[in-house]
Amino acid sequence: MSLVVEIQNPEAFHSIPADDLIEQWARAAWLDENEASVVIRIVGTEEGLELNQSFRHKDYPTNVLSFPYEPSEFELEFLEAEELGHLGDLVLCLPVVEREAAEQNKPVQHHWAHLIVHGLLHLQGFDHEDSEVEADIMEAREIAILNQLGMPNPYESNE
Protein backbone atom coordinates (compact mmCIF):
# COMPACT_ATOMS: atom_id res chain seq x y z
CA MET A 1 0.00 0.00 0.00
CA SER A 2 2.27 2.71 -1.29
CA LEU A 3 1.30 6.14 -2.51
CA VAL A 4 3.91 8.51 -3.91
CA VAL A 5 2.88 12.10 -3.21
CA GLU A 6 4.29 15.05 -5.15
CA ILE A 7 3.56 18.36 -3.45
CA GLN A 8 3.59 21.52 -5.53
CA ASN A 9 3.64 24.95 -3.88
CA PRO A 10 4.31 27.30 -6.82
CA GLU A 11 3.61 30.46 -4.82
CA ALA A 12 5.90 29.34 -1.96
CA PHE A 13 3.19 29.69 0.69
CA HIS A 14 4.60 29.39 4.21
CA SER A 15 1.37 28.52 6.02
CA ILE A 16 0.73 25.15 4.38
CA PRO A 17 1.11 22.01 6.47
CA ALA A 18 4.47 20.23 6.48
CA ASP A 19 5.09 17.86 3.57
CA ASP A 20 5.18 14.83 5.86
CA LEU A 21 1.70 15.64 7.19
CA ILE A 22 0.27 16.11 3.69
CA GLU A 23 1.81 12.78 2.68
CA GLN A 24 0.46 11.06 5.81
CA TRP A 25 -3.09 12.31 5.17
CA ALA A 26 -3.00 11.33 1.50
CA ARG A 27 -1.63 7.87 2.25
CA ALA A 28 -4.28 7.31 4.90
CA ALA A 29 -6.94 7.82 2.21
CA TRP A 30 -5.26 5.49 -0.32
CA LEU A 31 -7.41 2.36 -0.21
CA ASP A 32 -5.72 0.21 -2.83
CA GLU A 33 -2.86 -2.25 -2.44
CA ASN A 34 -1.12 -1.24 -5.66
CA GLU A 35 1.49 1.46 -5.90
CA ALA A 36 0.23 4.80 -7.20
CA SER A 37 1.08 8.47 -7.32
CA VAL A 38 -0.77 11.73 -6.85
CA VAL A 39 0.12 15.39 -7.29
CA ILE A 40 -1.12 17.78 -4.60
CA ARG A 41 -0.87 21.40 -5.73
CA ILE A 42 -1.45 24.32 -3.35
CA VAL A 43 -2.62 27.46 -5.15
CA GLY A 44 -3.76 31.00 -4.48
CA THR A 45 -7.10 32.62 -5.20
CA GLU A 46 -6.30 33.55 -8.81
CA GLU A 47 -5.33 30.04 -9.96
CA GLY A 48 -8.10 28.48 -7.85
CA LEU A 49 -10.68 30.74 -9.50
CA GLU A 50 -9.31 30.09 -12.99
CA LEU A 51 -9.41 26.31 -12.54
CA ASN A 52 -12.90 26.31 -11.02
CA GLN A 53 -14.16 28.48 -13.89
CA SER A 54 -12.49 26.37 -16.56
CA PHE A 55 -13.47 22.94 -15.28
CA ARG A 56 -16.64 23.41 -13.22
CA HIS A 57 -17.97 26.68 -14.71
CA LYS A 58 -18.20 28.19 -11.24
CA ASP A 59 -17.20 31.82 -10.71
CA TYR A 60 -15.39 31.43 -7.40
CA PRO A 61 -12.32 29.63 -6.07
CA THR A 62 -13.19 26.43 -4.24
CA ASN A 63 -11.38 24.56 -1.47
CA VAL A 64 -10.35 21.40 -3.37
CA LEU A 65 -10.54 20.21 -6.96
CA SER A 66 -9.89 16.63 -8.02
CA PHE A 67 -8.59 15.86 -11.49
CA PRO A 68 -8.54 12.09 -12.10
CA TYR A 69 -5.85 10.90 -14.47
CA GLU A 70 -7.21 9.67 -17.80
CA PRO A 71 -4.72 7.48 -19.68
CA SER A 72 -4.22 7.96 -23.38
CA GLU A 73 -5.22 5.33 -25.96
CA PHE A 74 -1.52 4.37 -26.26
CA GLU A 75 -1.21 3.80 -22.53
CA LEU A 76 -4.38 1.73 -22.43
CA GLU A 77 -3.20 -0.41 -25.32
CA PHE A 78 0.36 -1.07 -24.21
CA LEU A 79 0.47 -0.83 -20.43
CA GLU A 80 -1.00 -2.98 -17.68
CA ALA A 81 -3.37 -1.31 -15.22
CA GLU A 82 -0.74 -1.58 -12.46
CA GLU A 83 1.70 0.39 -14.61
CA LEU A 84 -0.74 3.29 -14.99
CA GLY A 85 -0.55 4.07 -11.27
CA HIS A 86 -1.07 7.84 -11.42
CA LEU A 87 -4.36 8.68 -9.69
CA GLY A 88 -4.48 12.29 -10.76
CA ASP A 89 -4.07 15.72 -9.25
CA LEU A 90 -5.58 17.52 -6.29
CA VAL A 91 -5.61 21.30 -6.22
CA LEU A 92 -6.22 23.03 -2.91
CA CYS A 93 -6.76 26.80 -2.68
CA LEU A 94 -4.92 27.99 0.42
CA PRO A 95 -6.94 31.18 1.09
CA VAL A 96 -10.23 29.26 0.82
CA VAL A 97 -9.01 26.45 3.09
CA GLU A 98 -7.83 28.90 5.74
CA ARG A 99 -11.01 31.03 5.53
CA GLU A 100 -13.29 27.97 5.79
CA ALA A 101 -11.41 26.62 8.81
CA ALA A 102 -11.83 29.96 10.59
CA GLU A 103 -15.53 30.21 9.63
CA GLN A 104 -16.15 26.64 10.81
CA ASN A 105 -14.19 27.21 14.02
CA LYS A 106 -11.93 24.20 13.46
CA PRO A 107 -8.17 23.80 13.49
CA VAL A 108 -6.78 24.60 10.05
CA GLN A 109 -4.69 21.38 10.10
CA HIS A 110 -7.88 19.35 10.53
CA HIS A 111 -9.50 21.10 7.59
CA TRP A 112 -6.43 20.48 5.41
CA ALA A 113 -6.49 16.80 6.35
CA HIS A 114 -10.21 16.52 5.64
CA LEU A 115 -9.93 18.12 2.20
CA ILE A 116 -6.95 15.97 1.21
CA VAL A 117 -8.79 12.81 2.31
CA HIS A 118 -11.93 14.03 0.52
CA GLY A 119 -10.01 14.72 -2.70
CA LEU A 120 -8.16 11.40 -2.60
CA LEU A 121 -11.46 9.56 -2.25
CA HIS A 122 -12.76 11.40 -5.32
CA LEU A 123 -9.69 10.27 -7.26
CA GLN A 124 -10.55 6.70 -6.28
CA GLY A 125 -14.08 6.94 -7.63
CA PHE A 126 -16.07 8.05 -4.59
CA ASP A 127 -18.68 10.71 -5.25
CA HIS A 128 -21.25 12.73 -3.34
CA GLU A 129 -22.95 14.64 -6.14
CA ASP A 130 -25.25 12.04 -7.74
CA SER A 131 -26.96 10.27 -4.87
CA GLU A 132 -27.50 10.57 -1.16
CA VAL A 133 -26.45 6.93 -0.69
CA GLU A 134 -23.08 7.59 -2.39
CA ALA A 135 -22.67 10.77 -0.35
CA ASP A 136 -23.31 8.86 2.88
CA ILE A 137 -20.78 6.17 1.91
CA MET A 138 -18.13 8.76 1.07
CA GLU A 139 -18.79 10.77 4.23
CA ALA A 140 -18.57 7.65 6.42
CA ARG A 141 -15.25 6.73 4.79
CA GLU A 142 -13.89 10.25 5.40
CA ILE A 143 -14.97 10.17 9.05
CA ALA A 144 -13.34 6.75 9.57
CA ILE A 145 -10.04 7.80 7.95
CA LEU A 146 -9.87 11.04 9.92
CA ASN A 147 -10.71 9.14 13.11
CA GLN A 148 -7.73 6.84 12.42
CA LEU A 149 -5.63 10.00 12.14
CA GLY A 150 -6.91 11.15 15.55
CA MET A 151 -9.19 13.87 14.17
CA PRO A 152 -12.85 14.52 14.92
CA ASN A 153 -15.80 14.15 12.57
CA PRO A 154 -15.49 17.11 10.17
CA TYR A 155 -19.26 17.24 9.66
CA GLU A 156 -20.07 17.94 13.29
CA SER A 157 -20.29 21.60 14.24
CA ASN A 158 -17.53 23.01 16.44
CA GLU A 159 -19.65 25.91 17.66
Side-chain angles (χ1 to χ4, degrees):
M1 187 157 77
S2 176
L3 181 68
V4 176
V5 180
E6 178 186 332
I7 300 166
Q8 297 178 351
N9 182 9
E11 297 188 42
F13 292 117
H14 295 290
S15 61
I16 69 170
D19 288 0
D20 61 332
L21 284 176
I22 292 172
E23 291 169 4
Q24 176 189 5
W25 300 331
R27 289 182 180 130
W30 177 228
L31 306 173
D32 200 319
E33 305 234 348
N34 294 314
E35 193 166 306
S37 65
V38 65
V39 171
I40 298 177
R41 182 176 177 86
I42 315 298
V43 301
T45 304
E46 187 176 320
E47 187 174 346
L49 171 62
E50 183 179 305
L51 290 168
N52 207 25
Q53 285 174 329
S54 295
F55 294 97
R56 296 181 63 231
H57 311 293
K58 307 284 184 177
D59 197 26
Y60 55 87
T62 190
N63 51 20
V64 62
L65 292 167
S66 300
F67 297 99
Y69 173 66
E70 297 180 15
S72 69
E73 292 296 321
F74 172 83
E75 291 169 310
L76 289 172
E77 186 173 343
F78 293 104
L79 298 175
E80 298 294 325
E82 297 78 35
E83 296 175 290
L84 294 175
H86 187 63
L87 291 175
D89 300 350
L90 293 182
V91 178
L92 291 104
C93 184
L94 177 128
V96 174
V97 174
E98 291 179 341
R99 184 191 78 237
E100 287 177 347
E103 289 172 354
Q104 296 170 23
N105 194 31
K106 62 176 66 168
V108 70
Q109 296 280 40
H110 290 185
H111 198 45
W112 276 104
H114 176 218
L115 293 173
I116 288 169
V117 166
H118 182 88
L120 253 291
L121 290 176
H122 271 306
L123 291 179
Q124 295 173 85
F126 287 83
D127 193 21
H128 55 84
E129 300 287 330
D130 295 332
S131 85
E132 194 171 317
V133 170
E134 288 181 355
D136 289 345
I137 291 169
M138 184 171 177
E139 186 175 304
R141 185 63 63 120
E142 291 173 38
I143 292 166
I145 292 167
L146 291 167
N147 184 265
Q148 290 173 344
L149 292 167
M151 295 183 196
N153 180 341
Y155 297 103
E156 290 180 350
S157 176
N158 287 341
E159 296 178 17

